[in-house]
Amino acid sequence: QLTSITRDMTLPINSDPPKFLGILMGLFNVSGKDKKPIKDSKHWMDIIKQTVKTQLIPELEKVNMVHSMAHDIDYTLQEIPHFLSLMPIAQRSYCPVYDIPENGFVVQTEDGDVKEMSNTERNRHKERGKYFEKKYTKLAETLLNMFNAEDSVENSIDGGDRGDDDE
């Protein structure tokens, strides 16, 4: 009914149901050089993944609401751990944790004064920023691949002709 009501509006509601792309795990703590989730976090992440796979997906599939590419990634788009100490640095700089400018690597003292971080601290935070940049880049690539694959399927179904030729 909403589809017919909004048909002539600037942004009408799509009659096709939304598709489940996958889950995004976030704000968990990690440990070790390979930055694996800590035991408690891993436990809950495994429960969530199993519940999605065995309970949510079968229900969504009944109503055709699972993106065809979601199976290829085992329903997990990305696992992004907690930013920890990078968060306040990024917030002070008004930028993402993976794009903190050189002048953003400062600390605030108890008196409210601002001083530059040591080279060791700065380098540690820069490395963590690069780690998060890789995580978000991989997430973006996964999503783009899913969308592009969906477009390819739609184009092959439509015979490649969507009626938007300039001729």
Side-chain angles (χ1 to χ4, degrees), residues 129-147:
K130 288 178 189 174
Y131 167 78
F132 284 109
E133 182 176 25
K134 288 177 188 171
K135 288 283 191 181
Y136 279 102
T137 299
K138 187 173 185 314
L139 172 61
E141 288 170 353
T142 298
L143 291 171
L144 286 173
N145 288 339
M146 292 173 88
F147 300 148

Side-chain angles (χ1 to χ4, degrees), residues 28-158:
F28 56 89
N29 292 323
V30 295
S31 66
K33 287 186 178 184
D34 8 341
K35 296 179 173 59
K36 298 286 183 191
I38 62 170
K39 188 177 181 179
D40 287 342
S41 295
K42 176 86 170 101
H43 172 76
W44 286 107
M45 291 165 72
D46 289 343
I47 288 172
I48 291 167
K49 289 177 184 181
Q50 189 62 25
T51 303
V52 165
K53 191 173 189 173
T54 61
Q55 294 178 29
L56 179 63
I57 295 301
E59 292 301 313
L60 291 177
E61 284 178 333
K62 289 177 186 176
V63 289
N64 193 28
M65 290 180 65
V66 179
H67 191 284
S68 61
M69 297 289 290
H71 303 284
D72 294 348
I73 58 168
D74 199 29
Y75 312 109
T76 303
L77 294 169
Q78 188 55 267
E79 296 176 356
I80 300 176
H82 197 290
F83 301 134
L84 300 173
S85 57
L86 275 180
M87 181 61 78
I89 298 167
Q91 287 173 333
R92 280 194 302 269
S93 300
Y94 303 102
C95 63
V97 294
Y98 52 82
D99 196 25
I100 298 171
E102 261 322 296
N103 64 357
F105 292 101
V106 295
V107 291
Q108 196 166 11
T109 66
E110 289 179 14
D111 299 330
D113 297 331
V114 175
K115 66 175 191 168
E116 284 191 27
M117 290 182 181
S118 69
N119 284 336
T120 303
E121 276 184 300
R122 179 188 307 254
N123 291 337
R124 182 174 57 89
H125 288 306
K126 282 182 177 181
E127 283 303 310
R128 290 196 63 236
K130 288 178 189 174
Y131 167 78
F132 284 109
E133 182 176 25
K134 288 177 188 171
K135 288 283 191 181
Y136 279 102
T137 299
K138 187 173 185 314
L139 172 61
E141 288 170 353
T142 298
L143 291 171
L144 286 173
N145 288 339
M146 292 173 88
F147 300 148
N148 289 336
E150 185 176 51
D151 286 346
S152 294
V153 169
E154 287 177 5
N155 285 338
S156 67
I157 291 171
D158 293 344

Side-chain angles (χ1 to χ4, degrees), residues 5-20:
I5 292 171
T6 63
R7 182 177 334 128
D8 297 327
M9 293 183 174
T10 305
L11 190 59
I13 292 178
N14 189 342
S15 61
D16 296 331
K19 302 285 185 181
F20 177 78

